[in-house]
Amino acid sequence: MTSGRSRAAASFAALLAVLALTGCSQIAALAPVGGNGLAEVRFAAIDVLQQKNVALLTAPVCAQADTGPLVTCVGTSADGREITVTSSVASGAQLVVAVGGETIYSGALTEVLDEAARG
């Protein structure tokens, strides 16, 4: 009788552990949704590339300058062209997205993010 209770207790503990780990992974997956300025620039760049039907080999990877609000991102299109993105994490930031040296978007960062939020 005791071994039955022990198995039930062990099973319950295992279930709790699995649920706890699942919760952690779900919270980790939600973290980028809140985002920060750097993530917002990356998300906006990817939105622009999708709107312009640019297939990606490597999605833009962004970095913020050591000093100041400047953000630059670099990626590669499926056909091998370099993707460059420049923006800022400051209020009123302008986003510039270029593919193969040709600017495909230049405008307010918030406009791209707002449009994506509207769906």
Side-chain angles (χ1 to χ4, degrees):
M1 191 83 169
T2 324
S3 67
R5 285 186 182 168
S6 295
R7 281 189 214 147
S11 295
F12 183 70
L15 176 63
L16 286 177
V18 168
L19 290 175
L21 291 174
T22 302
C24 291
S25 66
Q26 288 174 346
I27 289 170
L30 290 176
V33 174
N36 59 22
L38 191 64
E40 288 176 348
V41 172
R42 184 172 192 262
F43 295 152
I46 291 170
D47 287 343
V48 167
L49 293 164
Q50 288 178 339
Q51 290 169 1
K52 301 292 185 175
N53 297 316
V54 176
L56 299 177
L57 177 63
T58 306
V61 176
C62 303
Q64 187 171 350
D66 290 336
T67 59
L70 180 65
V71 174
T72 57
C73 313
V74 178
T76 310
S77 68
D79 60 3
R81 295 178 293 164
E82 182 180 48
I83 297 167
T84 57
V85 180
T86 56
S87 190
S88 169
V89 293
S91 178
Q94 295 295 304
L95 176 72
V96 178
V97 181
V99 180
E102 178 185 339
T103 300
I104 62 170
Y105 179 84
S106 180
L109 172 66
T110 55
E111 285 181 21
V112 176
L113 295 172
D114 290 347
E115 186 176 323
R118 285 190 292 268

